[in-house]
Amino acid sequence: MTAHNDGPISIHPVRNKSEKREFVELAFRLNRGDPAWVPPLKGEATDLLTPGKNPWFEHGKAQLFLARRDGRTVGRISAHIDDLALQQSAAQGMGPGTGNWGLLEAEDADVAHALFVAAEDWLRGQGMHRSLGPLSISIWDEPGLLIEGFENPPTIMLGHNSPLYRGWVEAEGYRPVKQLLNYGVEVRDGFPPLVNRIVAAGEKNARIRIRKVDKKKFDAEAKLIMGILNDAWSDNWGFVPLTDSEIAFVGKKLKDIVFEDLIRVAEVDGEPVAFMIVLPNINEKLIDMDGSLFPFNWARLLWWLRKPKSKRLRVPLMGVVKPLQNSRMASTLAFMMIEYIRRDGVAHYGVEEGDIGWVLDDNQGMNAVAEAINATINRVYQIYDKPLS
């Protein structure tokens, strides 16, 4: 990352489409030298920031800022407020008066400082007394600043940033409030004997059924899964409920990379009580596409999606309904879903490794599951906050 420290820095609120394009494209210029950075598809990155495209804006508002110096764009940041997050309990991490920042990119510490001043001033002007981030831009998108695990490209839906940013964020007076862990695990040769015994015992239990999703009923399946998710995660730190339109949006976004044998729903006594979503790592293809599907990347991607081979799969989401949490049944269901998906992943997709995350650092149940299958932490993300006096 090159620093140009001569000349004053000016901050500009993003007001139109061309400035929004500038906001998106800056990330490509500043990260181009990082071999682990995966360029997002520019269309998707733009939709994330656009009211009418991203249903988050039905309950949230955002202001994007660009930093310029000597006629060049040298940084960016978002400041945003989620009305649903404001309604949550403060004890759960969000709550009244808490605004957010995210999407930070900066050439140097001076630029980062000027951007934070602008973002915090905007949040204060909206009546916020606490700034929490980074979130890009919802807690459900890419939360947290990467602080460990810079060596390898992230898998699908995991963020990546310069190692310099941690120092710049902390220099602004932000303190860590929560860590999100991502685990890596070798899956080709199966799991330890204890896990296999739990799975075998679960298979003998007539009350349990583990099924694949039915893509022909995709909308209904997405609604069912997200309904379990909203219940399962409702006591988690940072939880903000997903609205019906956000559930539909997520479903539409994931539809092309959802495969029936990589998503499982667990039923007990005929009732759906748990799910696990696993996605092939589309980042293996995106890393060479420079953010564009044209002219030939679209065809390459479609061809890959017909029968993807993916060395690494990612588990972005799993959940068990609240009444079963911390029970023996919950861990049985988790191990059964993980094992069934592992078998199909290895047999049909050439999978060798899995990624599980994000996992809250205090989520004892999930951290215990990860430990039991010999998973090890390979990326750590940190969320920070700061009082706005």
Side-chain angles (χ1 to χ4, degrees):
M1 205 167 276
T2 321
H4 298 264
N5 291 314
D6 36 3
I9 297 159
S10 58
I11 301 295
H12 304 265
V14 169
R15 300 285 187 211
N16 55 43
K17 271 187 182 173
S18 91
E19 288 173 338
K20 192 180 287 178
R21 192 177 311 119
E22 211 177 315
F23 187 95
V24 168
E25 289 182 352
L26 178 69
F28 287 75
R29 181 168 68 76
L30 292 189
N31 291 291
R32 197 153 266 138
D34 183 345
W37 186 70
V38 180
L41 291 172
K42 287 178 184 172
E44 277 198 8
T46 305
D47 286 355
L48 178 79
L49 306 173
T50 305
K53 298 277 191 183
N54 180 355
W56 177 87
F57 284 96
E58 292 166 12
H59 54 84
K61 56 183 165 182
Q63 179 61 62
L64 310 177
F65 294 95
L66 292 170
R68 296 199 179 110
R69 181 168 48 199
D70 300 330
R72 298 166 66 251
T73 303
V74 291
R76 71 177 205 186
I77 199 168
S78 62
H80 35 99
I81 295 167
D82 184 337
D83 291 337
L84 294 182
L86 297 181
Q87 293 166 28
Q88 302 307 304
S89 151
Q92 253 183 279
M94 295 292 188
T98 297
N100 306 115
W101 62 273
L103 299 165
L104 174 70
E105 299 287 357
E107 275 197 358
D108 57 46
D110 291 342
V111 172
H113 172 69
L115 288 165
F116 274 112
V117 168
E120 289 166 12
D121 279 351
W122 185 85
L123 290 174
R124 276 190 207 94
Q126 301 288 324
M128 300 297 108
H129 54 70
R130 176 174 173 245
S131 171
L132 180 141
L135 305 180
S136 307
I137 57 180
S138 144
I139 192 81
W140 295 103
D141 291 312
E142 290 180 5
L145 190 79
L146 183 66
I147 60 164
E148 285 176 36
F150 294 96
E151 312 75 35
N152 299 309
T155 48
I156 178 171
M157 293 164 67
L158 280 176
H160 188 80
N161 53 261
S162 163
L164 296 172
Y165 289 2
R166 181 182 188 175
W168 299 351
V169 169
E170 292 176 2
E172 296 301 316
Y174 283 86
R175 62 186 179 87
V177 285
K178 188 58 65 179
Q179 287 194 340
L180 308 173
L181 311 176
N182 193 73
Y183 287 91
V185 60
E186 298 287 331
V187 299
R188 201 171 27 183
D189 301 326
F191 296 132
L194 169 66
V195 174
N196 297 330
R197 286 198 296 276
I198 294 170
V199 171
E203 288 173 334
K204 293 190 183 104
N205 186 336
R207 299 176 62 205
I208 295 174
R209 176 184 175 226
I210 308 288
R211 67 171 181 85
K212 299 176 183 179
V213 295
D214 182 350
K215 214 168 167 182
K216 290 197 277 296
K217 301 176 186 163
F218 183 80
D219 293 344
E221 295 279 50
K223 200 162 185 178
L224 168 77
I225 285 170
M226 294 303 171
I228 297 174
L229 179 74
N230 269 341
D231 176 72
W233 286 40
S234 58
D235 292 335
N236 281 5
W237 184 93
F239 174 78
V240 177
L242 281 165
T243 64
D244 288 347
S245 50
E246 284 175 302
I247 289 167
F249 179 68
V250 170
K252 193 175 163 200
K253 214 158 79 163
L254 294 183
K255 195 165 189 176
D256 290 336
I257 50 172
V258 158
F259 295 88
E260 290 181 332
D261 49 356
L262 295 181
I263 300 183
R264 291 293 198 281
V265 173
E267 296 174 356
V268 174
D269 300 328
E271 285 294 311
V273 294
F275 74 91
M276 180 178 290
I277 294 178
V278 177
L279 300 173
N281 183 25
I282 198 171
N283 282 7
E284 291 172 21
K285 293 291 159 201
L286 294 185
I287 199 162
D288 298 323
M289 292 189 177
D290 201 30
S292 173
L293 288 172
F294 303 100
F296 304 116
N297 289 337
W298 184 247
R300 280 172 58 204
L301 201 54
L302 282 178
W303 183 258
W304 181 80
L305 285 168
R306 286 177 61 195
K307 192 68 182 158
K309 290 292 177 194
S310 187
K311 186 183 169 194
R312 202 172 189 104
L313 294 180
R314 169 147 189 253
V315 185
L317 294 171
M318 64 182 294
V320 182
V321 292
K322 261 200 285 201
L324 287 182
Q325 284 174 9
N326 303 315
S327 68
R328 196 184 219 157
M329 177 65 85
S331 54
T332 298
L333 299 177
F335 286 128
M336 290 176 79
M337 291 188 292
I338 289 170
E339 171 58 13
Y340 290 4
I341 292 173
R342 183 200 72 78
R343 289 175 197 167
D344 282 342
V346 171
H348 305 146
Y349 301 87
V351 174
E352 297 174 16
E353 299 157 322
D355 257 11
I356 302 171
W358 315 263
V359 181
L360 290 167
D361 54 5
D362 56 2
N363 183 337
Q364 292 169 327
M366 267 314 300
N367 288 311
V369 166
E371 208 172 294
I373 59 174
N374 290 340
T376 54
I377 294 166
N378 61 13
R379 292 172 90 80
V380 178
Y381 294 85
Q382 195 144 272
I383 294 181
Y384 292 86
D385 80 346
K386 172 184 176 178
L388 298 176
S389 49

